Amino acid sequence: MQEPEKTNLYLVPTPIGNLEDITLRAIRVLKEVDVILAEDTRTSGKLLQHLGIEKRMHSHHLHNEHKATTHLVERMKAGEVMALISDAGTPGISDPGFYLVRECLKHDLKIECLPGATAFVPALVKSGFSTDRFTFEGFLPIKKGRQTRLQSLATEERTMIFYESPHRLLKTLTQFKEYFGGERMASVSREITKMFEETINGTLDELIQIFTTKAIKGEFVLVVAGEKAGKATNAE
């Protein structure tokens, strides 16, 4: 009987808040690999300590991803098995991972991506907006290309999902109003799976008013209804 092909790189999702949100398979893989590539070794070190895992870690983040990838690929070709994790959630989703995966595929290295935690899925489901068709936009460009991206989404009929940081939340909601209209329905989720998890639904006008007076803390997922389904009168 032929032995299964050896996996060279595992993409392992980590909890986005609640440390119980990690699979048994993910724990096993992290224990078995030769080395763990972590976005921030200090953050990941706390998780591994909580799980009772002692394993070599190497830093792998946006600033060293291109430089380090060639060396990592050569090590995997030589037989090392690696796991890539991000600070929270699934590697490659608004986090480092894409470039390493692409280079591994170019060299015929086997990759496995484990299912697990990611912030946008619970935010989408909790929004109450259509889940049949949606587009994940991640973080909008901070400066160059931001207006062009918003203009292109103004007539988008699918539900739209964005990530945003606390210090840009109000600016982004205000720009959404400018391009989508103040009556467009949206949902703001923060601190998903954590102690102060919260989701607020309303029109963009209402959400802007709420967050103008409300303390803005945590990491946010914004879900915006599509163009045809997004009017408040249609969402009742």
Side-chain angles (χ1 to χ4, degrees), residues 7 56 70-71 75 123 131 137 160 168 180-181 185 199 234:
T7 297
R56 282 189 299 142
T70 300
H71 179 57
R75 286 172 56 181
T131 58
E137 296 295 324
M160 296 170 281
R168 283 197 297 267
F180 305 150
M185 293 297 297
T199 295
N234 293 336

Side-chain angles (χ1 to χ4, degrees), residues 2-219:
Q2 186 176 6
E3 291 186 4
E5 184 182 358
K6 179 181 178 180
T7 297
N8 304 102
L9 175 67
Y10 290 93
L11 307 177
V12 182
T14 54
I16 59 176
N18 192 316
L19 295 182
E20 294 180 354
D21 293 333
I22 188 165
T23 67
L24 295 174
R25 182 183 175 204
I27 295 171
R28 176 181 59 79
V29 167
L30 292 177
K31 288 180 178 179
E32 292 178 352
V33 295
D34 298 311
V35 63
I36 296 172
L37 308 176
E39 187 177 2
D40 186 327
T41 56
R42 294 166 300 179
T43 300
S44 297
K46 294 176 182 177
L47 174 64
L48 296 183
Q49 184 178 19
H50 173 78
L51 297 173
I53 298 174
E54 295 184 7
K55 188 67 57 174
R56 282 189 299 142
M57 283 193 295
H58 287 178
S59 180
H60 186 78
H61 48 72
L62 287 174
H63 301 294
N64 75 350
E65 187 175 21
H66 284 68
K67 183 178 180 180
T69 292
T70 300
H71 179 57
L72 294 175
V73 167
E74 290 303 316
R75 286 172 56 181
M76 283 185 268
K77 289 170 69 174
E80 280 193 81
V81 179
M82 300 185 181
L84 175 66
I85 62 177
S86 66
D87 288 349
T90 300
I93 302 296
S94 293
D95 277 315
F98 161 74
Y99 186 72
L100 179 60
V101 168
R102 186 178 68 180
E103 293 304 303
C104 285
L105 293 174
K106 284 182 181 179
H107 291 270
D108 295 321
L109 295 172
K110 183 179 178 182
I111 301 167
E112 286 192 49
C113 183
L114 279 60
T118 189
F120 76 81
V121 173
L124 170 63
V125 175
K126 288 173 62 177
S127 73
F129 303 146
S130 173
T131 58
D132 293 341
R133 298 173 66 241
F134 60 88
T135 174
F136 174 70
E137 296 295 324
F139 288 98
L140 287 167
I142 296 175
K143 293 181 180 179
K144 186 178 179 180
R146 189 178 179 92
Q147 291 184 340
T148 302
R149 178 79 62 82
L150 288 168
Q151 286 173 348
S152 70
L153 293 172
T155 56
E156 175 60 67
E157 296 183 3
R158 295 170 294 180
T159 302
M160 296 170 281
I161 307 167
F162 305 85
Y163 285 165
E164 194 51 276
S165 61
H167 66 276
R168 283 197 297 267
L169 177 66
L170 265 177
K171 175 184 177 181
T172 298
L173 289 174
T174 301
Q175 289 180 320
F176 283 174
K177 174 182 176 178
E178 178 183 350
Y179 288 92
F180 305 150
E183 289 301 305
R184 182 74 66 93
M185 293 297 297
S187 175
V188 177
S189 292
R190 73 179 188 98
E191 299 293 87
I192 292 173
T193 79
K194 300 178 184 177
M195 183 180 296
F196 299 105
E197 178 175 350
E198 180 180 39
T199 295
I200 301 175
N201 288 13
T203 64
L204 288 171
D205 278 333
E206 291 169 341
L207 292 171
I208 291 170
Q209 184 176 4
I210 290 170
F211 285 101
T212 298
T213 58
K214 183 180 178 65
I216 301 177
K217 297 180 180 180
E219 297 299 318

